[in-house]
Amino acid sequence: MPIKLGVRELVEFTLRTGDLSATSGSQNTALLGAQIHRRLQKQRGENYQKEYYLEQALTLNGDDYLIHGRADGVTLTEKAASIEEIKTSETVFDQLSDNTLTLYWAQVKIYAYLLMTKETDLDQVTLTLTYFQTNTETTTQTDQVITRDEATAFFNQVIAEYVTWLKFRSDLRDRRDPTIQQLDFPFGAYRPGQRELAVAVYKTILTSKRLFAEAPTGTGKTISTLFPSIKAIGEGVIQRIFYLTAKQSTRRVAEEAVSLMASQGLKLKSITLTAKDKIMFPEEADLTPEENPYMLGYYDRLKPALLDLIQHNDQLTRPVIEDYARKHTLDPFEFQLDASLFCDVIIGDYNYLFDPQVHLQRFFATEDPDNFFLIDEAHNLVSRSRDMYSAAITSRPLDHLIDESRDLAQATPKLRRRLQDLRATFHDVAQPMLADGETDKTFLLPPENFDHDLARLVEAIHDWLVDQPQTPFTQAILDYYFAAISYQRIGEYFDDTYRMRLEVADGNITLKELCLDPSAFLADSLALGHGAVLFSATLSPMTYYQTVLGGDQDSLAYQLDSPFEPEHQAILVTNYIQTTYKQRDANLAKILLAIKTLVDGKTGNYLIFLPSYSYLLTVSQAFHLAYPHIKTVCQEAKMAEADRTAFLASFTADPSETLVGFAILGGIFSEGIDLKSDRLIGVGIVSVGLPGINPETDLLRDYFDEQSHRGFAFAYQIPGLNNVFQAAGRLIRGSKDVGIILLMDQRFASPRYTDLYPRHWQHFRRLYRPEHLTTAVQNFWHQEVPQ
C-alpha cells in the first residue's frame, strides 16, 4: 500500500518559512473557515465541483507514494479549466506575508499539476485564489494561468526538495532495521505470561486487528507490547508506534523500555510528547507571538534544528527537546511536534489520537496503515473519552463580561449586544424548567435558537479581537470565546449517543452536551491505523471494555493469569459487614475491628481505601480514637506534589512499627503508585466503590439499558469495581511481595460481583464472623509462603 502524502503537508514542509503563527489563531478560525468555504462554494456556477479529489501515484526514493488532496473547487468545460483555492483570515490581504502567499499559490499549483495529469487534453489551467477577510467579510480574488510545463516544473521542484528529506528518513530506516532484526528480548528469559502476550501482540499486528488484553501486575506489559511492535517495524509490517496512556508515570516506563533496548543495540528514534503548558518556556508565557523570539523566524531555523536534533539523539525526551529548542531558539511545543515526524515510537497522552479538539492533524488527518497504536491503562480511556466528546458552556461569565463592558470604550456596541443576546437566550432556555420548580433537566436535542445566538457571539468576538490590546477584559473575552468554540465543535458530533443537560445553580445556567457512548468515535480513531492493542492490568469484564472502547466483531480478547503465586496474596471478604449508605453508621464498629484485626496480623504498612473523603474522615478519625497507639496517615482533600510525596514516603521499607494509611478509592493513591516489597503488606477496601447516584450516571444506566446491555452494571457497578481492582493492585508489585487484600462489604461475596472477578481473584474466601477474619489473617502470616 502506498504512503499517503497530503498536498498541504507536502507544500508546508518544503516551502514554509518565516514566523510560527499563533496557535490560538489556527484553533479558533477552523470552524468559521469551514462555514465560509461552504458559503462561497454555494455561490459558484453549475459546472463548479466543490471538494474535488485529486491524486497521483509516484515512486520517491524507492518507496511508493500517493500525493492526494481536495481542491476547494474545480470547473471543467470543453474549452477551459479552473481551480479555486479558498483561504480565510482576519488579516488584510495586502498585509499577508510573502511566504503565506507562496504557500497559498503553491497548493493550488500542485492541484493544477494533478488535474492536468488526470485530464491529459488540458494544456493550461486558470488558478484562482479567493481570500476572505473574516472581520470585514471582504473577498479578494486573484487569478493566474499556469501551463502544463510550468505546473510540471513546479511540481518537480517541490518534490526534489521533499526527496532530500525522504532520503534522510530512508537513511534513518536503513540504520534502524538491521538493529531491530538483531534485537533479542532484553530480559533474556520471559516472565510467566510475557511470551504469550508478546506473541498475541505480534499476531494482532500481522492480522491488522484490535486486541484487548488484560495483563495483571507483574506481567511486564510495557516491554511485552513494545518489543513485538518494534520487531514488526523491522519486518516492514508497520513503520510507527504510538504508545498512548493517561499518566506521566507510565510514559516514563515506556521511555525506560526503549532505553533498555537501545542499550542492547537498538537504533531507533523515539519521542515523548509533553503538553504545551508544561513544556513552554517560562519567558514565553506573557508574550504575544509577535513578541516571542521562539516563534519569530521559527520556520527559517526549523530544518537545521531538526537535522541537529535527529542526527545526535535517538531518544527525544523532554529535556532533550528543551535543550535543542533553546539552542536554536524554537518554541519547544511545536518543535517536538515537528520532530515527531522523524520518530518511530511516539509516546504521549490519549488525547493526541482520540480527542477531536487537539488530536495530531499531521498524523491523523487520514488513515495511515504504517501507524500502530498501543493504548496503555486502557481502563482509564472510558471516562476520559466521554469527557473528550462532551462540552459545557455557562452563563455566569456573560454576567461579568456585560458588567465590565458598560464603562469600557474597548467594548463595542455590537459586542455588548451579542453578549446580552446570548445571556437572554440562556434565560429563555432555562425559564420553562424553573417555572416547574426544577433545577436540572435532560433533552434529546439541543435547545432551539441557542446554537444560532452562540454562533453570532463567536463571530462578533472573532471580528472584535483584531488588534485588541492585551487587557484583563480581552483575556476574559478570549476565555469565553474558546469555551464557545469548544462547545460548537463538540456539537458537530451530537447524535443519539448524546443528551443535553440543563442545570441551574446559584443563578448560573449550564448547558452541557453529554456524550454517553463515544465508542463509535473511538473506533473511528483506531481505524486510522494498522491496528491496536488496548491493555491494562484490569480489563474485567472483557466484554464491557470491548463494548465501550470501540471494539468490533473482529476484535481479539486475551486475559493472562497473574505471574505471581496465588499463595502470596490472600483475598478475604467480610460477609458480615454492610457499607450501604443507610448501614454505614451501624457497621462502623465492625469496620474498625476488621481493620484492627488486619493490622494486628503483622507489623507493617497498610492502606485502607474508602469511597469518599467524608467517609474517609469518619472512619480514620474513629480508628484513631479507638486505637490511638497505631500510627496513621490520611490523604487530604487537596494535596500538592510535595504532600503526595510525603504521604508515600511514610510507607518505609522494613518498618519497626505499624502504619495505617487512609486514602480515597479511585483517587491519586489507588493506581499508578509502586510500594514494593514490605513497603505495603495489606490493603483494605471499604465498600464496592459505586459512584454516587447522580443524574448523569443515571443517564448512562438508562442509555445502556436501551442498548440491551446491563445498564446498572455499565454505569455504576463495573466502574466502581475497576477502582477496587486498581486499589487492590497496589499490593503485589513484584515476585517477592506478600500480603492480604481485605474487602469489607458483603456485596463482594455475591455472584453479581464474583462473576466479574478476574481469574487471579478466584481464590477469594468468604468470612462470616469477626473471629473467622482473625483466624484467616493469622493463618496467612504463619503459612509457608513460596519464594
Side-chain angles (χ1 to χ4, degrees):
M1 183 176 291
I3 301 168
K4 289 187 175 182
L5 177 60
V7 169
R8 184 169 182 174
E9 175 193 346
L10 173 65
V11 166
E12 292 195 352
F13 187 81
T14 55
L15 300 179
R16 182 181 285 279
T17 60
D19 304 337
L20 177 66
S21 300
T23 303
S24 59
S26 63
Q27 289 176 339
N28 65 34
T29 60
L31 186 65
L32 184 60
Q35 295 169 347
I36 293 168
H37 273 62
R38 291 193 291 268
R39 187 200 313 174
L40 295 177
Q41 286 167 338
K42 287 180 180 179
Q43 298 172 4
R44 303 303 182 244
E46 59 179 332
N47 291 323
Y48 185 89
Q49 301 177 62
K50 65 180 181 180
E51 305 300 327
Y52 192 93
Y53 182 76
L54 291 161
E55 64 178 29
Q56 173 67 42
L58 69 161
T59 300
L60 302 175
N61 203 44
D63 292 319
D64 293 330
Y65 282 80
L66 186 69
I67 311 297
H68 71 101
R70 293 187 182 275
D72 290 326
V74 169
T75 301
L76 290 172
T77 65
E78 292 182 3
K79 297 181 179 180
S82 65
I83 300 177
E84 180 181 37
E85 183 66 19
I86 302 171
K87 298 297 183 183
T88 62
S89 169
E90 69 271 9
T91 305
V92 176
F93 181 78
D94 292 339
Q95 295 177 2
L96 292 173
S97 69
D98 290 341
N99 183 243
T100 297
L101 288 171
T102 296
L103 295 175
Y104 288 172
W105 282 114
Q107 194 169 337
V108 72
K109 286 177 182 179
I110 298 293
Y111 288 141
Y113 170 79
L114 298 179
L115 181 63
M116 285 189 275
T117 302
K118 177 182 178 182
E119 304 289 342
T120 56
D121 58 334
L122 290 177
D123 294 323
Q124 65 180 36
V125 172
T126 298
L127 311 180
T128 299
L129 175 60
T130 300
Y131 180 78
F132 188 92
Q133 186 179 337
T134 52
N135 56 324
T136 63
E137 299 202 355
T138 302
T139 301
T140 304
Q141 280 196 332
T142 311
D143 295 335
Q144 60 177 270
V145 175
I146 191 169
T147 66
R148 177 180 291 275
D149 289 344
E150 290 169 339
T152 301
F154 181 78
F155 180 79
N156 290 337
Q157 171 195 337
V158 173
I159 291 297
E161 168 70 14
Y162 195 72
V163 166
T164 301
W165 289 90
L166 289 181
K167 178 67 165 58
F168 180 55
R169 290 183 183 180
S170 178
D171 290 345
L172 292 176
R173 290 181 180 183
D174 290 343
R175 169 180 177 264
R176 174 198 72 190
D177 288 350
T179 69
I180 294 177
Q181 292 156 9
Q182 296 164 14
L183 182 68
D184 292 323
F185 190 70
F187 293 105
Y190 286 89
R191 292 183 194 172
Q194 272 190 322
R195 178 183 290 276
E196 293 88 339
L197 179 56
V199 169
V201 170
Y202 191 75
K203 289 182 177 178
T204 300
I205 297 172
L206 293 181
T207 55
S208 299
K209 296 290 182 66
R210 294 174 202 164
L211 170 67
F212 290 77
E214 182 177 72
T217 300
T219 306
K221 300 183 291 296
T222 304
I223 196 68
S224 300
T225 53
L226 267 175
F227 176 73
S229 302
I230 289 172
K231 295 296 281 186
I233 288 179
E235 298 296 326
V237 184
I238 55 176
Q239 291 297 332
R240 188 181 292 111
I241 299 164
F242 287 87
Y243 192 102
L244 305 175
T245 183
K247 290 185 168 56
Q248 189 66 41
S249 59
T250 42
R251 291 195 278 278
R252 284 195 294 269
V253 172
E255 288 179 346
E256 292 165 0
V258 174
S259 180
L260 175 62
M261 289 182 277
S263 70
Q264 301 187 7
L266 177 65
K267 304 295 184 184
L268 169 147
K269 303 294 179 184
S270 67
I271 190 168
T272 303
L273 299 180
T274 305
K276 185 179 181 68
D277 60 344
K278 288 184 170 59
I279 200 171
M280 178 190 293
F281 292 140
E283 59 267 34
E284 291 186 89
D286 298 323
L287 298 178
T288 65
E290 294 76 21
E291 302 170 319
N292 190 336
Y294 298 99
M295 291 186 174
L296 293 172
Y298 175 92
Y299 290 104
D300 299 328
R301 300 185 297 275
L302 175 61
K303 291 176 183 177
L306 286 173
L307 286 173
D308 190 15
L309 173 71
I310 301 297
Q311 287 176 335
H312 294 99
N313 301 275
D314 283 343
Q315 285 188 264
L316 311 183
T317 58
R318 175 180 171 180
V320 172
I321 292 291
E322 290 176 333
D323 285 346
Y324 279 80
R326 283 199 179 279
K327 177 181 178 181
H328 293 275
T329 319
L330 297 172
D331 177 76
F333 177 75
E334 293 293 335
F335 184 45
Q336 67 173 352
L337 297 182
D338 288 320
S340 69
L341 292 168
F342 298 91
C343 292
D344 311 296
V345 176
I346 298 173
I347 303 166
D349 189 87
Y350 295 146
N351 59 14
Y352 290 117
L353 172 63
F354 295 110
D355 193 320
Q357 305 206 58
V358 299
H359 75 276
L360 298 178
Q361 279 284 345
R362 66 193 68 207
F363 290 115
F364 306 130
T366 59
E367 180 182 345
D368 187 346
D370 281 343
N371 295 334
F372 191 78
F373 307 127
L374 298 176
I375 314 299
D376 195 0
E377 302 293 345
H379 65 277
N380 283 312
L381 186 56
V382 179
S383 59
R384 276 285 300 275
S385 61
R386 288 194 185 114
D387 291 340
M388 289 174 186
Y389 282 91
S390 298
I393 191 162
T394 65
S395 67
R396 174 135 310 151
L398 292 172
D399 298 335
H400 299 314
L401 291 171
I402 291 168
D403 288 343
E404 292 177 26
S405 70
R406 287 195 177 99
D407 299 321
L408 277 179
Q410 183 185 3
T412 63
K414 180 180 178 181
L415 178 63
R416 284 196 293 269
R417 188 165 61 252
R418 292 289 181 257
L419 291 169
Q420 291 165 349
D421 287 346
L422 186 63
R423 183 174 66 174
T425 303
F426 262 111
H427 286 284
D428 289 344
V429 169
Q431 188 55 43
M433 178 186 74
L434 295 174
D436 292 337
E438 300 173 318
T439 57
D440 68 90
K441 200 173 184 67
T442 300
F443 304 89
L444 292 177
L445 296 172
E448 191 175 355
N449 296 330
F450 184 84
D451 288 348
H452 174 265
D453 287 348
L454 182 66
R456 294 208 310 171
L457 175 60
V458 166
E459 188 173 349
I461 295 176
H462 182 272
D463 295 344
W464 175 85
L465 282 171
V466 179
D467 298 326
Q468 287 296 323
Q470 292 294 316
T471 67
F473 181 73
T474 303
Q475 186 57 54
I477 286 283
L478 267 174
D479 291 342
Y480 200 76
Y481 182 49
F482 289 136
I485 289 288
S486 175
Y487 182 90
Q488 286 183 309
R489 285 179 176 164
I490 293 303
E492 295 182 343
Y493 294 91
F494 200 99
D495 61 13
D496 59 4
T497 66
Y498 278 80
R499 299 293 182 268
M500 287 297 309
R501 290 280 297 152
L502 175 62
E503 300 174 5
V504 179
D506 298 325
N508 185 34
I509 305 169
T510 299
L511 264 177
K512 183 174 185 180
E513 300 162 320
L514 177 65
C515 183
L516 302 175
D517 181 12
S519 59
F521 305 131
L522 298 180
D524 289 343
S525 295
L526 293 172
L528 293 171
H530 184 90
V533 178
L534 298 93
F535 57 101
S536 172
T538 54
L539 282 186
S540 292
M542 184 65 74
T543 53
Y544 163 78
Y545 286 100
Q546 287 179 299
T547 299
V548 298
L549 290 179
D552 54 30
Q553 292 182 342
D554 295 330
S555 293
L556 308 172
Y558 192 68
Q559 290 179 285
L560 281 77
D561 290 320
S562 171
F564 305 130
E565 296 292 339
E567 293 85 352
H568 282 207
Q569 175 177 272
I571 301 176
L572 308 178
V573 180
T574 57
N575 210 46
Y576 55 88
I577 292 178
Q578 299 180 57
T579 68
T580 58
Y581 189 77
K582 292 181 179 180
Q583 296 292 332
R584 284 181 182 178
D585 290 343
N587 281 260
L588 180 59
K590 295 178 182 178
I591 293 170
L592 300 180
L593 179 59
I595 296 172
K596 177 66 163 50
T597 303
L598 171 66
V599 305
D600 277 349
K602 183 179 180 180
T603 299
N605 300 322
Y606 298 82
L607 258 178
I608 309 300
F609 291 96
L610 297 109
S612 69
Y613 186 64
S614 61
Y615 197 16
L616 180 152
L617 289 177
T618 298
V619 174
S620 61
Q621 290 171 359
F623 186 84
H624 179 69
L625 287 173
Y627 311 106
H629 61 285
I630 299 178
K631 183 181 177 182
T632 61
V633 60
C634 292
Q635 177 180 344
E636 297 175 9
K638 294 182 180 180
M639 301 182 76
E641 187 63 35
D643 299 325
R644 300 180 190 183
T645 301
F647 181 91
L648 294 175
S650 303
F651 294 79
T652 58
D654 192 24
S656 58
E657 63 176 334
T658 289
L659 172 71
V660 180
F662 292 90
I664 299 171
L665 190 62
I668 54 176
F669 299 117
S670 64
E671 62 177 294
I673 63 168
D674 251 348
L675 297 173
K676 292 183 177 180
S677 190
D678 62 355
R679 289 188 66 196
L680 186 66
I681 63 170
V683 168
I685 299 172
V686 180
S687 92
V688 293
L690 293 178
I693 301 296
N694 65 85
E696 290 192 3
T697 310
D698 282 348
L699 288 174
L700 279 176
R701 177 199 62 201
D702 296 343
Y703 170 84
F704 283 111
D705 276 339
E706 292 167 4
Q707 302 302 311
S708 300
H709 296 295
R710 293 183 298 158
F712 180 80
F714 273 43
Y716 285 99
Q717 185 185 9
I718 296 174
L721 191 56
N722 183 270
N723 288 335
V724 170
F725 291 152
Q726 285 293 318
R730 300 313 95 208
L731 182 63
I732 304 297
R733 310 299 295 175
S735 60
K736 302 298 184 181
D737 293 5
V738 178
I740 297 174
I741 295 172
L742 179 61
L743 304 176
M744 289 171 273
D745 192 309
Q746 65 179 195
R747 288 172 290 185
F748 280 121
S750 69
R752 189 172 193 171
Y753 281 87
T754 60
D755 289 348
L756 302 176
Y757 287 178
R759 287 190 294 197
H760 59 283
W761 271 42
Q762 295 305 318
H763 64 286
F764 74 93
R765 289 184 56 195
R766 295 180 176 88
L767 306 173
Y768 296 93
R769 300 171 64 88
E771 53 267 32
H772 294 169
L773 175 59
T774 302
T775 302
V777 170
Q778 291 174 349
N779 288 345
F780 176 80
W781 290 117
H782 287 92
Q783 70 174 329
E784 284 290 330
V785 178
Q787 301 295 318

